[in-house]
Amino acid sequence: MGRYEKWRLRAVVVWAIVGAIVLFMLAIRGLTVVGQAVELLLIGLIAGFVCSPLTNWIEDRGLPRSLAALISLVVVIAGIVTIVALFVGPFVNELMVLLRNVPTYFTQVQDALATFWDTFGTSGSANVQNTVNALVQVLTEAGSGIASDLARNLSSGLVANLTDLAGHFVTFFLGLILAYWFALDYPKIMGELAIIAGPDHDEDMVLTFAVLSRSMGGYMRGTLITSLANGVMVAAGLALIGHPYAGLLGIATFVLHFVPVIGPMLSSVSAVLLGLFVSPVVAFWTLVITVVAQNVTDNVLSPIVMRSAVKIHPALSLIGIIIGGAVGGAVGMLLAVPLTAAIKGVFVYYFETHTGRQIVSAEGAFFGSTPFNDPQGRPRPTFDALDDDTFIARSRLLAGLTRLNDEPRPAGKKSPSSKK
């Protein structure tokens, strides 16, 4: 490869990354314009991702795919209903209790601060004392006001927002119907997209979609399972020690676990701080329970569940979260890690395809994973990008692509099986 071709390849990679960032920014900004449509699509895609592996598994047992998709959707709905029935009631009740107790907790903080100044304060620290006391007073007034408003909205705002709730319910119901059709027909949809892409680009389109599907779908499924397990462990452990907000903190742990690195730390700190208002003993055991639950989730459960997701380095996760938060706020932070994993997988595929060099290695950092090679020792870009040599077959992504599997390829064009 000449110097010109090398610089051309680098420029293509750079502009591909810039283009991906720009598209991500435009997508996040567009949420405010088409919010309900995006909500419908997200529900359908997420539920469809969750249903698809179960649909494939049931179909392998001999049932028609239409029935398999229906059964998988029923299982998902039953799981959602069970979670709501078990957790929504305790969540609302404990949240109301917490909001009513917020002024009392702020008073305890002020009393503890006054005791601290009486014990350790000196005339030389008078300015520091006044500054800290003023800051605490401002936080007390703001926190008490916010808590009062939230409590009032929870107790009286439900009836006033029945129209909005009905709209969200309809959107959720339509999203589940959309998920059924995604789970049922995505192999056929891929065949139609391949026809649209044309014979020169259909293979790259399919393999790129496979990387996106494995990265985002696997991450979302894995995170959902690990977040639920972490939340249940925390709720059960805190209930055993008599923490007054066990259910609320279990749900908070479940939600915050979707934000890598930062989320689990925030949920643990919040639980310990609320435990301090009960007693130092409760706070200590709260710390023990949250740390143990997090370690069991990360070191025991996550490696098993996350086999279906492309591995991503913690530094890349943090970079993605920072960029996602800056561009799209909370939604951007939520989508940042699966999108970062998808971008990484696509980059690996195109880099190895166009250079012939294997960037993936077992000892790597940003690209640390299991390398796949053919009998001649050459890298297999598709498998390296997917971190799996069975995903395409299991996912049915090539099931509807008759021409890709059977028809002769144009000159210089390899079949998916040969490219693998």
Side-chain angles (χ1 to χ4, degrees), residues 24 215 219 223 257-264 298 302 306 309-326 329 332-344 365-367:
F24 176 65
S215 300
Y219 178 85
T223 303
H257 193 268
F258 282 88
V259 182
V261 183
I262 303 173
D298 288 344
S302 185
M306 286 298 185
V310 173
K311 300 180 181 70
I312 180 169
H313 193 275
L316 288 179
S317 297
L318 287 175
I319 293 172
I321 290 171
I322 292 171
I323 296 175
M333 294 180 70
L334 182 63
L335 297 177
V337 174
L339 282 176
T340 303
I343 292 172
K344 174 205 163 188
F366 290 151
F367 301 99

Side-chain angles (χ1 to χ4, degrees), residues 102-333:
V102 164
T104 302
Y105 293 154
F106 277 118
T107 301
Q108 293 181 24
V109 172
Q110 290 176 317
D111 293 342
L113 187 61
T115 302
F116 176 83
W117 293 131
D118 291 340
T119 304
F120 300 102
T122 63
S123 58
S125 63
N127 291 333
V128 176
Q129 294 180 38
N130 292 333
T131 301
V132 173
N133 290 337
L135 178 60
V136 171
Q137 182 63 33
V138 170
L139 293 176
T140 299
E141 294 176 356
S144 299
I146 293 172
S148 299
D149 292 340
L150 286 175
R152 184 167 52 254
N153 290 335
L154 283 175
S155 59
S156 62
L158 292 178
V159 176
N161 295 319
L162 282 179
T163 303
D164 291 338
L165 289 175
H168 287 297
F169 178 79
V170 171
T171 300
F172 182 76
F173 178 75
L174 293 176
L176 292 178
I177 296 177
L178 187 63
Y180 168 80
W181 289 110
F182 277 146
L184 174 64
D185 286 335
Y186 77 84
K188 298 178 182 178
I189 294 173
M190 289 305 302
E192 295 169 346
L193 291 178
I195 295 174
I196 295 173
D200 293 330
H201 304 287
D202 50 9
E203 185 178 331
D204 288 337
M205 184 274 295
V206 171
L207 297 179
T208 300
F209 187 86
V211 173
L212 295 173
S213 176
R214 174 162 165 78
S215 300
M216 299 192 68
Y219 178 85
M220 289 159 59
R221 284 192 298 269
T223 303
L224 178 64
I225 294 171
T226 54
S227 298
L228 181 60
N230 195 15
V232 170
M233 285 188 288
V234 168
L238 295 184
L240 288 176
I241 65 171
H243 199 297
Y245 306 113
L248 177 63
L249 291 171
I251 294 175
T253 300
F254 165 74
V255 174
L256 290 174
H257 193 268
F258 282 88
V259 182
V261 183
I262 303 173
M265 181 182 65
L266 290 176
S267 63
S268 180
V269 170
S270 301
V272 172
L273 289 177
L274 288 175
L276 280 173
F277 291 111
V278 181
S279 71
V281 175
V282 171
F284 170 76
W285 284 111
T286 297
L287 177 62
V288 172
I289 290 169
T290 54
V291 170
V292 170
Q294 183 61 38
N295 276 274
V296 170
T297 302
D298 288 344
N299 300 322
V300 179
L301 183 61
S302 185
I304 299 174
V305 174
M306 286 298 185
R307 287 175 182 171
S308 63
V310 173
K311 300 180 181 70
I312 180 169
H313 193 275
L316 288 179
S317 297
L318 287 175
I319 293 172
I321 290 171
I322 292 171
I323 296 175
V327 174
V331 175
M333 294 180 70

